[in-house]
Amino acid sequence: MLPYSRIRIVLVFLVLFLFTSEACIYDFYRKEFVSEDQKNDEALLLAFFGLLPNPNQKLFGFIPGSSRNLSNAQFLNAEWVPKSHKKKLVWVHGWNPAERDADPITNDQKKIQNIKNTFSNGMVHFQEGRDSASSEFDLYLYTYRTSNSILVNGRQFHSTLRATFSDSDSVYIVAHSMGGLVTRVALAKETGELPFVRLVVTLASPQYGSPFASKGFLGSNPFTNELGSYLVDTQGGSELAYTNEGNLQPVISGASNLVLDVLNDSYLKSGLNVKYISFAGVLSNCTLGETFYYNTGCNILSNAGLNQSDGIVPLNSARLGNLGLKQINVSDCDHSMMAFQTTNIDDSKSLNLFSQVISEIRNNP
């Protein structure tokens, strides 16, 4: 096993080449690796050099079946999926509150469960032929350890996409919540070009962060303390913090997020926001979410002056301050519902959102 001191020395030189020239970005990478146990440190370091795949991330190809009880056998290693002429959908899930940096390396069963927890309804809509999506697209699903830095996960996602697809492919990414931020890192100019990615659809992604990941916002409210402890205690979760920087962004006292500020500034300078369509959930009433947590979150955000949200992500953050190609509000969908995940799989909100996402992709070839 590599001595821990050697890992830190290597990382100091390594980050000089990463993402941006901002010196403080080193701190985020350092914290990422310092928080891992040595076994995970070594695995991630080897993955970062490209010597091994990151063991906590994976791209699966989805094979449609006949049962709504999705089988793990329907998830194949992406490299085993037969190549076809179809366009490619790549779905990326969001934050998992159960994950921690020091957890054992994630096995395939848990990776698949992470995907199902977010997208099971959407996968059923796909396999049942809604909007003829399965006739036109192959479906892939990307999973990663959400407690890790979005900077690390984004670069790994970039490498995975580059290794899986060719420039002649047409790839469309659909990313929920944190998955949208991981995708933005993967497609940033500093990370490298991926010309085969034609469009990104974000679903309730906190592109300017969420107050619930900001320590200063948590205060003494038991709900915010419980939720916030899951977020701010991990590197990836803390990088979801709210920022006051950004177009049309409402100000919260003391809020800041240098990672998102640097990332969003990169996009402004490169003009790459034109690849993004942003969907935002808007609860017209804080009783319309499907869970107590989202309804409570909606009330807390409203009391702080953020009157439009999905219970976790404020409207302007999900809409990227109206800077993308297009912004679409989705009425009365909470944060989980914004990934097609309604309690009833046949709920019109889930079905209609799926149809709208497929329609936007078809309209922007």
Side-chain angles (χ1 to χ4, degrees), residues 29-246:
Y29 279 96
R30 181 182 60 79
K31 291 175 186 175
E32 167 63 30
F33 285 91
V34 164
S35 64
E36 297 279 341
D37 63 22
Q38 285 193 320
K39 181 176 180 181
N40 283 347
D41 273 342
E42 191 170 304
L44 289 173
L45 184 59
L46 291 171
F48 204 82
F49 279 120
L51 300 176
L52 287 175
N54 185 327
N56 291 318
Q57 64 88 38
K58 193 165 188 175
L59 183 67
F60 292 95
F62 179 71
I63 307 302
S66 57
S67 172
R68 287 186 164 187
N69 185 19
L70 301 175
S71 165
N72 286 2
Q74 293 179 249
F75 296 80
L76 297 182
N77 292 346
E79 59 268 26
W80 297 349
V81 176
K83 298 298 181 183
S84 78
H85 65 281
K86 294 181 182 180
K87 299 173 183 177
K88 318 300 180 186
L89 293 174
V90 178
W91 293 359
V92 189
H93 66 73
W95 174 66
N96 178 353
E99 289 185 324
R100 289 293 183 271
D101 292 347
D103 290 346
I105 289 172
T106 311
N107 60 32
D108 276 6
Q109 183 176 356
K110 189 172 187 299
K111 288 182 174 78
I112 292 169
Q113 191 58 52
N114 286 344
I115 293 168
K116 289 180 180 180
N117 288 345
T118 299
F119 287 126
S120 60
N121 284 10
M123 289 184 284
V124 169
H125 299 332
F126 179 86
Q127 78 174 8
E128 292 184 349
R130 184 161 183 85
D131 298 286
S132 301
S134 58
S135 299
E136 185 176 352
F137 300 95
D138 290 325
L139 177 59
Y140 293 79
L141 302 114
Y142 182 72
T143 184
Y144 56 99
R145 176 161 293 177
T146 61
S147 60
N148 293 165
S149 169
I150 63 169
L151 302 177
V152 171
N153 283 328
R155 291 181 64 84
Q156 292 293 334
F157 186 31
H158 173 99
S159 298
T160 299
L161 291 170
R162 180 76 275 179
T164 305
F165 303 110
S166 68
D167 288 352
S168 62
D169 285 321
S170 293
V171 175
Y172 301 85
I173 298 175
V174 179
H176 178 248
S177 194
M178 177 189 270
L181 304 184
V182 171
T183 301
R184 284 177 71 77
V185 173
L187 301 186
K189 181 179 179 181
E190 292 82 357
T191 312
E193 291 189 34
L194 293 174
F196 50 79
V197 177
R198 312 299 184 194
L199 184 74
V200 177
V201 174
T202 61
L203 304 174
S205 289
Q207 294 166 109
Y208 292 150
S210 169
F212 291 118
S214 299
K215 288 184 178 181
F217 184 78
L218 303 181
S220 59
N221 185 291
F223 173 84
T224 56
N225 277 336
E226 181 180 352
L227 177 64
S229 67
Y230 283 112
L231 285 166
V232 301
D233 287 349
T234 69
Q235 187 61 40
S238 68
E239 290 168 0
L240 299 177
Y242 192 85
T243 175
N244 289 328
E245 302 297 321

Side-chain angles (χ1 to χ4, degrees), residues 333-353:
C333 279
D334 67 32
H335 192 66
S336 289
M337 295 164 73
M338 288 300 297
F340 322 117
Q341 237 15 37
T342 49
T343 302
N344 176 5
I345 194 170
D346 295 313
D347 191 309
S348 61
K349 292 178 181 178
S350 176
L351 295 169
N352 292 341
L353 178 57

